[in-house]
Amino acid sequence: MAEPRNLSRRVFLARIGVLGAALGGGGLLTRGLLNPADAATNPLLPPAVDLVRPVLAALARDTLNGLTAFALPGPDQYSRTQRASSSTPGALDAGATDFMINALDNFVPFPDALAQPISAALVTGLADSGVNLPGLEVLPAELRSLDQAFAAVLQSDEAIPLSFPIAGLLNLMATQVNPAAVNGPHLSPFARLTYAEKARAFELIEKTDSDLVALLDVQFPEPLKASVSGLLKFVGGALIEFATFGAYSEYGVLDRSTKTLRRRPVGWTLTGYQPDGPVEGWDDFIGYYQGRKEVHD
Amino acid sequence: MRDVIVIGAGGGGPVVAKELAAKGLDVLLLEAGPRHAKPREEWSTFEEDANNPLTGYFRLGPTDRSKPAWYREWPQNSFVWQLSGVGGTTQHFYGNYPRAYPGVFAGYEGADRNEYDVNHRFPFSYGEMVPYFEWVEAIMPVQTAAMGTKEQLFFKGAETMGLPVQTTKTTVKASYRPQENAILQPGGTAGRTADKNLLNYPQATGCTFCGYCFQGCMRPKGAPRNQYAKRSTDNSYVPMALTAEVWSRGGKPAELIADAYVTRVHTETRQGVLTASGVTWRDNVTGDEHREDARVVVMSGGCTENPRLWFNSGLPNPNGWVGRGYTDHFFDWMIGSFDDYTGNPKGVGSSARLDYPPYGGLENVGLPPALNAFAGTLSDSGIRGQYKNGRGQTGPWDGPAGRVMGPELKELVAGGIDKLLTVLVITDDDVEAQNRVTTSALPADENGPIPKVTFQQRKRTKRTLKNREFMARKAAELLRGAGAKKVYRIDWAPLILHVQSSMRMGASEHNSVLDPTGETRAVKGLFVADNSALSNGLGGPNPTLTSQALATRTAENIFTKYFGGDPWVRTSAPVVSTDPRISVRLGELGL
């Protein structure tokens, strides 16, 4: 009775985006690469695990492009897809996606001992959602190979880039909001949503009694279980706040070695901040309110 | 064997170190994070460089910025803005030094005496605190804030509210005023020119109105460290502690070690009494552990780290109050949009305030673009126009409360960030056992099990929730009075930035960690001296002055009880932290 299991696996992988990113129309892997028969006979092909890593990275970047365009829309394709674009520069022009990936993968001091099971929960969880996903036909053999590759990535000693489970979370919620998001432009379901749908996805993440929390918690033993519930509530808020901070910050144009700006930051242009660059002071001293320079009891 | 080991060189620890170094004690001051000894080389004016909580120079982490920050568990949508490093959170603060409201102290007899957090008052009177307030105010020094455009606008709004102007240090009723702050008043060219060439010390003295308080104060350019405008402890108390021999007769300079993470407080039983005996710290760079003994140990690691250190040291917690009663002023954020220039990102971050005992208060806060964006999107009420997350309060602001983000935020700032006036809503919040620090079940870091900070923001006491709504309405009233065309309420998720009372001092042994002298009830020779020692949220005033006044009082108690000395605050005059003898000695030390 492998077929129902394969079906639900297919649905789940599609919902977190990896199936489409790997094998869907415009996917990053040719199906032959995951064909076990080819892999067995062609020693020149890299192992599936090496093929999957860049797929996960590309999927994460695409998903986060969808997030940063949500935080600060601009004239880019992601903003147009969400049907909230703008003629002035936005998050993608500001390098906010790189800001998010760099932060998540290199600086969020998130314990791998937790990232690993969350990632595992996201790829091994069974989605019995009753959501019909159109247009993805995957052969059981390909699915099995993909699964094995994920398992290998998750079990390797290398830290899981945090951007991957974050992208998985956003994509899972995206397909909850709009099942048709498994197909379309871009690589990730989240990036295919409209602005209102993205907001709806965050509403689901922020909701205190989120089904998602229950779904993921199932994978954790106590006392970690309670921690994961709380963590997801934190993550829902933090993704919005940090994407917005990054979009308006100097991240994309700051030369860290000289502590100077290569160009005027997008956030400064949009807000009119520091028209002549950094200052030592301003001529904004008016005086003392009612002329009072000191007070005493 | 030291006389005193102080754990943490933030807002509180350096006060004890400085006061006891002045008395000639052998003081070791340990700081878990970096020491920014050369800010002109290490800092900049950029939000990404300074304030990125993961990679910025103002973060919670070791000196080496290529290493990750220290992870803390927050099991709710919230942001706990901890900083490591000499100066702690005073490195990014705005230097506001209001006194706690008298109503939060024992013996208060005002007509509104029943309207405060009556079960968690300070165990002594306001009158007893006054000499310590005055002592700290003279040292910093605390002065009346200079006014810029955004303050003028704030006052314009306040003038429409039928409230008097406060012209005293003590707040006795609802009123507004310029901040009393620890920012040196502008002198010479400071505040009068934007020409870089004219803003060098001593041509310019005091605050240059640069607007970079949150990125660290290193101005005027060329000034000695102890004469930078903002009196963060790295510019005031720490320089005094390190130079005690030149300004205090019989003084002995304290020793400061940075990147020294204290992982354990040691105890021994002396004549049947559990007594602190020393500490172990870990060197962030080498990973080596060091142990040193002392007659007295002072915990000053802050509201989140002190409970963690307590738990990780296996110290007794008989009434369960270690880490409990955490107060945060349950902030909210209100943005006013104006047709005209507001001066928003210029000058001291916050130089005007409105006090409203026993509800809380308001203050203006100017922010640069990325922090402004962060502040507009931290909400417990969803996204305006999209969803409300079960909240989205309505009132005298425009539309429901919630995040101003995406297209709406872009449109809001398109007129210029200097056409906004933003107001911090400060709540007089109750001490509640449920808001607390525990040890996280998540994996430990290199310094041991990590702290978990839990705030049940939706389940706070009726009084706390009522006070917040009251002050939010007052903020909207003020912004309308100032001429705001639109007013946005964000309904902040907990932004834990004013932190108090997680190791609280109290009269009752049933709900306090510290006795009225500042010594822990469970371990003798162990004191707590920082915001966590405060008995409550002070009624809403920014906590630094009260915390430092209390730390001064605790230093006196340490000196009299353990070193046979006499108290000094009522009998001597303090030396101001800008004293030129300190500047000269800092120069000799290459600081």
Side-chain angles (χ1 to χ4, degrees), chain B residues 249-490:
Chain B
R249 192 173 300 135
K252 177 179 166 65
E255 183 181 357
L256 169 65
I257 305 177
D259 263 324
Y261 208 109
V262 175
T263 55
R264 195 171 171 87
V265 172
H266 298 285
T267 56
E268 59 190 39
T269 304
R270 290 182 200 150
Q271 293 154 349
V273 178
L274 192 66
T275 308
S277 59
V279 305
T280 291
W281 78 88
R282 186 181 172 280
D283 184 317
N284 291 333
V285 180
T286 65
D288 293 343
E289 290 205 331
H290 302 266
R291 177 169 175 164
E292 195 146 359
D293 290 336
R295 292 171 70 183
V296 167
V297 174
V298 182
M299 297 173 86
S300 303
C303 282
T304 300
E305 300 303 310
N306 286 340
R308 176 212 200 183
L309 179 58
W310 188 280
F311 297 134
N312 288 353
S313 300
L315 302 179
N317 183 18
N319 62 13
W321 268 80
V322 171
R324 290 192 189 268
Y326 207 143
T327 56
D328 70 334
H329 290 163
F330 198 2
F331 288 156
D332 201 348
W333 191 246
M334 203 76 76
I335 305 173
S337 165
F338 292 74
D339 284 341
D340 298 322
Y341 171 77
T342 62
N344 183 39
K346 297 179 183 175
V348 176
S350 167
S351 285
R353 74 180 297 113
L354 184 146
D355 289 286
Y356 221 115
Y359 299 94
L362 306 173
E363 54 188 31
N364 70 325
V365 175
L367 290 178
L371 290 161
N372 179 66
F374 177 90
T377 53
L378 178 84
S379 177
D380 200 26
S381 277
I383 299 171
R384 278 167 49 89
Q386 302 290 337
Y387 69 99
K388 296 176 182 173
N389 203 20
R391 290 166 69 88
Q393 304 94 318
T394 53
W397 42 87
D398 289 285
R403 292 185 180 91
V404 177
M405 70 170 285
E408 187 174 42
L409 179 59
K410 195 168 187 179
E411 192 187 329
L412 176 64
V413 298
I417 199 166
D418 54 10
K419 290 189 176 167
L420 304 180
L421 184 69
T422 39
V423 173
L424 179 69
V425 176
I426 303 174
T427 305
D428 175 4
D429 63 329
D430 285 337
V431 169
E432 296 175 56
Q434 64 172 358
N435 298 323
R436 61 187 300 209
V437 180
T438 51
T439 312
S440 173
L442 298 181
D445 67 13
E446 66 272 24
N447 298 311
I450 64 167
K452 170 179 178 175
V453 183
T454 303
F455 269 82
Q456 309 266 2
Q457 74 264 27
R458 296 191 181 194
K459 297 178 185 163
R460 301 212 52 166
T461 63
K462 220 179 266 180
R463 192 183 81 94
T464 299
L465 296 172
K466 177 200 74 181
N467 285 353
R468 189 174 192 251
E469 294 309 302
F470 181 87
M471 291 316 305
R473 285 169 182 274
K474 290 293 170 192
E477 190 182 336
L478 184 144
L479 284 167
R480 300 272 187 214
K485 295 299 169 211
K486 274 192 101 170
V487 176
Y488 302 84
R489 181 177 180 191
I490 307 302

Side-chain angles (χ1 to χ4, degrees), chain B residues 3-9 12-17 20 25 27-30 262 265 276-279 294-302 306 309-310 503 514 517-520 524-530 532-533 550-552 554-559 562-563:
Chain B
D3 290 326
V4 179
I5 295 176
V6 179
I7 304 165
V15 175
V16 175
L20 295 180
L25 298 190
V27 178
L28 174 62
L29 179 56
L30 297 171
V262 175
V265 172
S277 59
V279 305
R295 292 171 70 183
V296 167
V297 174
V298 182
M299 297 173 86
S300 303
N306 286 340
L309 179 58
W310 188 280
M503 303 281 287
L514 307 181
T517 72
E519 191 167 23
T520 70
K524 296 302 121 184
L526 181 60
F527 291 76
V528 178
D530 60 19
S532 71
L550 189 65
T552 304
T554 299
E556 267 195 350
N557 289 333
I558 291 170
F559 193 56
Y562 285 92
F563 299 94

